[in-house]
Amino acid sequence: MKIHIFNPENDMALANGTPGYTPPANIRAYREANWRLPEMWASPEDIIWDGETHFDNLGIPSCHDFEIAPWGWSPAIVHQLQLAGFPHEKMPSNQWLRKLRALSSRQTTVSIQRQLGIEAYVCHSINDITDIMRRQPQHKYIMKSPWSSSGKGLMTIRNTNWPGWARHILKQQGSVIVERKLDRAQDFAMEFIKDDEHNLKYLGLSLFSTDEYGHYLHNIQGNIPYSLDTVREWYLTHLPRIAPWYQGPIGVDMLITTTGEVCPCIEINWRMTMGMVTLL
């Protein structure tokens, strides 16, 4: 049996990194309005936690084993569960959470992108950013914060306010990710899950729409007219090596450019995704 939790603020909670993180009012309202979303993939015997009910009132027999399955793990959701009386031994350790936070950073994605031949950089100062632009002025670039969700935390070089944005992110999160901006024709993702025995399984492809800035809008129906066997096999081989200790869902965002090229890594989500919900 699983206790499912829809906590869509997960990425922002990881960025904050503290147990006492409080999401903005609109995100809290979204969670409260959609807390039953896991019913779409939960088994009949599973429980969906509303974020408030005390563990003793969930009606779980003391002899019944269960697993806690949030949308994503962070110190904040662990703190919420502890306040609601959930058993401490059912939650990840502080060390595991620190490792997950580092894994979920776009800095980790950059290291994977570089292995795949994708142009991406981790910058620790404004000078680092301007040096990249100066070296290759013919290319368009996009900046990203190390932690954000659903395509948020993005800034284009053409926006004249980018230096102020970058200084803010550098102060808050310690670095800024710079990637070559691609002209996208279609966004999609490969969805994987690593089970309790640490076996990695490929679930399928999900297609989704984004706005002109790369912000996630919604999932769509459709197919990708390309053979992606090599890309899929690369991830099946390398994802377990990147984080052998991790178990749970993994979504790898990709895109097809307007010239028909496949970019095999835009972001990696070490949590549930709306694409995985669609597949399940």
Side-chain angles (χ1 to χ4, degrees), residues 59-70:
I60 301 174
S62 58
C63 61
H64 205 101
D65 193 24
F66 65 90
E67 173 190 346
I68 302 174

Side-chain angles (χ1 to χ4, degrees), residues 214-227:
H215 302 149
Y216 172 84
L217 296 175
H218 51 76
N219 278 76
I220 59 175
Q221 297 293 321
N223 296 301
I224 299 292
Y226 294 87
S227 174

Side-chain angles (χ1 to χ4, degrees), residues 191 206-209 216-221 274-276 278:
E191 307 290 351
S206 65
L207 277 65
F208 58 95
S209 293
Y216 172 84
L217 296 175
H218 51 76
N219 278 76
I220 59 175
Q221 297 293 321
M274 292 307 296
M276 190 167 294
T278 303

Side-chain angles (χ1 to χ4, degrees), residues 243-263:
W245 49 272
Y246 176 84
Q247 65 183 61
I250 308 168
V252 184
D253 292 350
M254 308 179 186
L255 64 78
I256 298 171
T257 69
T258 52
T259 57
E261 298 173 276
V262 174
C263 179

Side-chain angles (χ1 to χ4, degrees), residues 37-280:
L37 183 69
E39 289 179 349
M40 296 179 66
W41 65 88
S43 298
E45 70 274 11
D46 291 347
I47 293 174
I48 316 299
W49 189 51
D50 60 8
E52 297 180 358
T53 302
H54 195 277
F55 178 77
D56 292 342
N57 296 325
L58 293 177
I60 301 174
S62 58
C63 61
H64 205 101
D65 193 24
F66 65 90
E67 173 190 346
I68 302 174
W71 186 263
W73 281 109
S74 70
I77 191 64
V78 167
H79 183 61
Q80 292 169 34
L81 291 164
Q82 289 173 337
L83 291 177
F86 281 71
H88 180 75
E89 64 271 14
K90 292 294 184 180
M91 289 175 267
S93 67
N94 290 335
Q95 180 186 14
W96 192 94
L97 290 169
R98 285 192 293 269
K99 288 164 65 176
L100 178 66
R101 185 175 189 269
L103 182 67
S104 300
S105 168
R106 285 185 171 119
Q107 289 193 38
T108 299
T109 304
V110 168
S111 67
I112 296 168
Q113 289 173 317
R114 300 299 286 267
Q115 292 180 58
L116 291 164
I118 299 168
E119 187 179 351
Y121 308 89
V122 179
C123 298
H124 298 282
S125 68
I126 296 294
N127 286 341
D128 288 348
I129 300 170
T130 55
D131 283 348
I132 293 167
M133 299 180 203
R134 195 161 34 240
R135 286 200 305 269
Q136 302 194 72
Q138 74 277 19
H139 293 162
K140 295 183 289 184
Y141 289 96
I142 189 168
M143 292 175 288
K144 300 179 178 181
S145 59
W147 290 277
S148 65
S149 62
S150 301
K152 304 296 193 297
L154 307 182
M155 173 62 71
T156 61
I157 299 298
R158 68 184 181 184
N159 188 321
T160 57
N161 295 322
W162 77 259
W165 178 91
R167 289 189 184 94
H168 176 70
I169 298 300
L170 287 166
K171 183 178 180 181
Q172 273 197 333
Q173 300 191 20
S175 63
V176 167
I177 310 303
V178 177
E179 298 175 9
R180 185 174 171 184
K181 189 176 185 300
L182 303 173
D183 295 322
R184 66 185 68 221
Q186 179 60 63
D187 293 277
F188 68 101
M190 283 189 176
E191 307 290 351
F192 302 86
I193 194 157
K194 205 163 174 220
D195 63 24
D196 296 347
E197 297 179 354
H198 294 275
N199 297 310
L200 184 65
K201 180 182 178 182
Y202 172 67
L203 297 181
L205 291 178
S206 65
L207 277 65
F208 58 95
S209 293
T210 58
D211 64 18
E212 61 177 309
Y213 303 105
H215 302 149
Y216 172 84
L217 296 175
H218 51 76
N219 278 76
I220 59 175
Q221 297 293 321
N223 296 301
I224 299 292
Y226 294 87
S227 174
L228 299 168
D229 293 352
T230 301
V231 175
R232 182 188 67 241
E233 292 305 314
W234 191 93
Y235 280 109
L236 286 171
T237 299
H238 286 79
L239 286 175
R241 297 174 181 172
I242 293 163
W245 49 272
Y246 176 84
Q247 65 183 61
I250 308 168
V252 184
D253 292 350
M254 308 179 186
L255 64 78
I256 298 171
T257 69
T258 52
T259 57
E261 298 173 276
V262 174
C263 179
C265 185
I266 299 296
E267 289 193 35
I268 300 184
N269 299 296
W270 302 85
R271 54 164 173 78
M272 278 291 291
T273 65
M274 292 307 296
M276 190 167 294
V277 170
T278 303
L279 290 175
L280 294 176

